[in-house]
């Protein structure tokens, strides 16, 4: 895998990001080139201004001079949780005679599972085997084992075909020859959560700027996925409205908030505005604004867990990524208190790339490198 290079486009809820990455010495991840463009994002799985995507993407890729550097041969594109679905599908095949299970049998299981999901308006993004049974005996790898009947469960990630058709059209106009799509929650879960913690199941919460997702991952596949259109940008907007600040000044105020410390009545945040003025804002008031929206997000997360049938009464590892809450001082612990469970900040395993708000892009690059031809 070392020496291979991938180009990855991340479709964030408020930014589009492209990175050119390859593996370095000792498993390090090297970012050779990158660029970011702010855009209107998406809401409930639909782009707010789809007509603006082509020119923004054109500018984005020109920022890395993709044609001169010949980055246009293959592109990996992320698909956010709001644009994808997860289904667990079972399949069964009979082994001829009392022979050994072959790779062809496993391929037949996968094909059978995919057929159950196929529909004219559905595009299958990824298929992951969750478990295998040979004559009702659970087994990690059935190939080479003797038996009559092999059963399996597959986690299949899919999305609406219209997304793929639209993106393929835009990217073809830009000159890309091949496009492969990646499930964001799956890539992040496989990268951020240690393998031993995924064996019995773990949760990945991704709170971005305008969107939040809750994914359950077991082994190498997603077992459930829900999402909603709330994120850190809504906290900024609340601060903007509460204190009559511009969005940029409100964003800077959010960076100052320490939600884990109980403020005294006359404690202030001295906000230096972009205009060079100092705004004195009561810490308690600002903290309450941030806490209210985080509680709203936590309540929605709890609803997602109920929809997924996930009980938090037992121990289950929970990881938090994205900049929507992790960048707020005390945000992770406040969220943990709201859902009454321990929460760990998710980080990529690559040296020097351990910020939770950047976990997604590095996870996508890692996934692409592991699955590139």
């Amino acid at each position: 895998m070392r020496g291979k290079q991938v180009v990855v486009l991340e479709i964030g809820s408020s930014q589009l990001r492209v990175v050119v990455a390859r593996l370095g010495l000792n498993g390090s991840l090297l970012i050779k080139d990158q660029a970011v463009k702010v855009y209107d994002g998406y809401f409930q799985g639909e782009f707010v201004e789809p007509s603006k995507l082509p020119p923004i993407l054109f500018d984005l890729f020109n920022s890395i001079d993709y044609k001169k550097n010949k980055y246009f041969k293959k592109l990996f594109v992320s698909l956010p949780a709001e644009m994808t679905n997860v289904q667990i599908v079972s399949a069964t095949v009979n082994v001829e005679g009392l022979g050994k299970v072959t790779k062809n049998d496993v391929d037949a299981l996968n094909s059978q599972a995919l057929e159950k999901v196929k529909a004219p308006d559905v595009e299958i993004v990824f298929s992951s085997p969750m478990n295998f049974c040979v004559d009702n005996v659970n087994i990690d790898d059935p190939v080479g084992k003797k038996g009559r009947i092999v059963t399996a469960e597959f986690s299949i990630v899919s999305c609406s075909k219209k997304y793929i058709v639209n993106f393929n059209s835009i990217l073809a106009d830009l000159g890309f020859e091949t496009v492969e799509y990646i499930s964001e929650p799956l890539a992040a879960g496989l990268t951020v959560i240690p393998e031993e913690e995924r064996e019995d199941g773990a949760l990945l919460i991704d709170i971005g700027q305008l969107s939040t997702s809750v994914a359950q991952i077991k082994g190498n596949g997603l077992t459930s996925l829900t999402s909603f259109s709330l994120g850190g940008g809504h906290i900024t907007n609340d601060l903007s409205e509460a204190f009559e600040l511009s969005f940029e000044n409100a964003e800077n105020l959010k960076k100052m908030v320490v939600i884990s410390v109980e403020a005294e009545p006359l404690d202030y945040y001295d906000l230096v505005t972009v205009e060079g003025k100092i705004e004195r804002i009561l810490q308690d008031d600002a903290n309450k604004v941030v806490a209210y929206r985080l509680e709203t997000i936590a309540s929605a997360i709890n609803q997602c867990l109920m929809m997924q049938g996930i009980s938090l009464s037992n121990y289950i590892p929970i990881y938090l990524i994205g900049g929507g809450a992790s960048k707020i001082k005390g945000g992770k612990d406040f969220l943990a208190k709201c859902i009454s469970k321990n929460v760990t900040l998710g980080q990529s395993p690559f040296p020097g790339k351990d910020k939770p708000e950047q976990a997604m892009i590095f996870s996508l690059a890692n996934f692409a490198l592991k699955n590139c031809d």
Side-chain angles (χ1 to χ4, degrees):
M1 187 164 58
R2 187 185 164 199
K4 290 186 178 180
Q5 180 173 278
V6 293
V7 185
V8 181
L9 170 65
E10 178 189 6
I11 304 174
S13 60
S14 63
Q15 293 181 336
L16 298 170
R17 182 190 302 269
V18 63
V19 299
V20 182
R22 64 181 178 86
L23 284 182
L25 293 172
N26 301 318
S28 60
L29 181 68
L30 302 179
I31 303 301
K32 183 178 177 181
D33 210 344
Q34 63 178 315
V36 177
K37 291 289 181 183
V38 175
Y39 79 127
D40 293 318
Y42 51 82
F43 178 75
Q44 295 182 352
E46 298 288 342
F47 288 109
V48 176
E49 292 283 356
S51 62
K52 293 182 179 180
L53 279 175
I56 291 174
L57 286 170
F58 182 80
D59 289 344
L60 178 69
F61 286 106
N62 275 343
S63 296
I64 60 171
D65 208 354
Y66 74 111
K67 286 191 175 180
K68 179 181 177 181
N69 291 306
K70 299 182 179 179
Y71 293 153
F72 54 82
K73 291 186 177 180
K74 183 170 185 177
L75 176 68
F76 289 87
V77 179
S78 77
L79 286 172
E82 286 197 30
M83 297 180 185
T84 56
N85 296 297
V86 174
Q87 292 174 264
I88 305 300
V89 181
S90 59
T92 303
V93 297
N94 295 315
V95 181
E96 293 186 6
L98 189 59
K100 292 182 179 180
V101 181
T102 66
K103 184 179 180 301
N104 288 339
D105 293 320
V106 174
D107 290 341
L109 287 167
N110 186 57
S111 297
Q112 186 184 133
L114 294 177
E115 283 295 325
K116 293 183 178 182
V117 175
K118 280 184 179 179
D121 59 344
V122 170
E123 184 80 17
I124 295 171
V125 179
F126 202 78
S127 175
S128 309
M130 302 297 296
N131 57 64
F132 293 98
C133 287
V134 178
D135 292 344
N136 295 319
V137 177
N138 291 329
I139 193 164
D140 291 333
D141 184 2
V143 176
K145 305 298 180 182
K146 284 188 174 182
R148 292 182 179 274
I149 300 175
V150 186
T151 60
E153 283 189 326
F154 290 84
S155 168
I156 299 177
V157 182
S158 62
C159 71
S160 173
K161 187 160 285 186
K162 67 179 181 180
Y163 295 131
I164 305 300
V165 171
N166 290 340
F167 260 100
N168 282 351
S169 176
I170 295 170
L171 296 171
D173 288 342
L174 291 173
F176 287 98
E177 299 174 6
T178 307
V179 180
E180 186 169 328
Y181 293 86
I182 303 173
S183 162
E184 284 189 1
L186 179 61
L190 293 177
T191 302
V192 168
I193 304 174
E195 184 176 358
E196 61 273 14
E197 294 193 10
R198 299 198 311 266
E199 288 182 6
D200 296 321
L203 289 178
L204 181 71
I205 299 173
D206 180 6
I207 303 178
Q209 182 74 350
L210 300 174
S211 180
T212 295
S213 66
V214 181
Q216 185 179 36
I217 185 167
K218 188 173 183 180
N220 292 320
L222 296 172
T223 55
S224 60
L225 177 65
T226 51
S227 58
F228 52 91
S229 294
L230 274 179
H234 295 85
I235 299 173
T236 307
N237 189 66
D238 290 346
L239 290 169
S240 175
E241 292 183 354
F243 304 109
E244 298 182 350
L245 300 169
S246 68
F247 194 86
E248 187 175 356
N249 285 329
E251 187 70 23
N252 289 333
L253 174 60
K254 185 172 71 173
K255 295 175 183 177
M256 298 176 69
V257 167
V258 184
I259 198 173
S260 56
V261 176
E262 186 172 347
E264 296 296 327
L266 295 179
D267 286 344
Y268 291 89
Y269 292 117
D270 289 327
L271 172 68
V272 180
T273 68
V274 293
E275 296 82 13
K277 298 178 181 180
I278 295 179
E279 292 276 356
R280 301 202 78 194
I281 297 172
L282 281 170
Q283 289 186 11
D284 188 57
D285 289 347
N287 289 1
K288 285 179 178 177
V289 171
V290 174
Y292 174 80
R293 183 59 72 173
L294 278 178
E295 286 173 347
T296 303
I297 293 173
S299 177
I301 289 171
N302 281 325
Q303 290 180 11
C304 288
L305 296 174
M306 290 176 61
M307 290 171 59
Q308 294 172 327
I310 298 172
S311 172
L312 293 182
S313 57
N314 298 322
Y315 171 76
I316 182 170
I318 303 175
Y319 286 81
L320 172 67
I321 63 172
S326 67
K327 293 178 71 174
I328 297 172
K329 299 179 183 71
K332 184 262 292 182
D333 293 331
F334 186 88
L335 183 70
K337 182 180 178 181
C338 289
I339 64 175
S340 302
K341 294 296 293 184
N342 291 329
V343 176
T344 302
L345 288 178
Q347 304 169 336
S348 83
F350 302 105
K353 297 176 173 61
D354 56 357
K355 293 182 179 179
E357 65 268 27
Q358 295 180 326
M360 182 59 75
I361 188 61
F362 298 139
S363 294
L364 293 169
N366 178 51
F367 189 92
L369 283 164
K370 287 185 175 180
N371 291 276
C372 65
D373 296 329

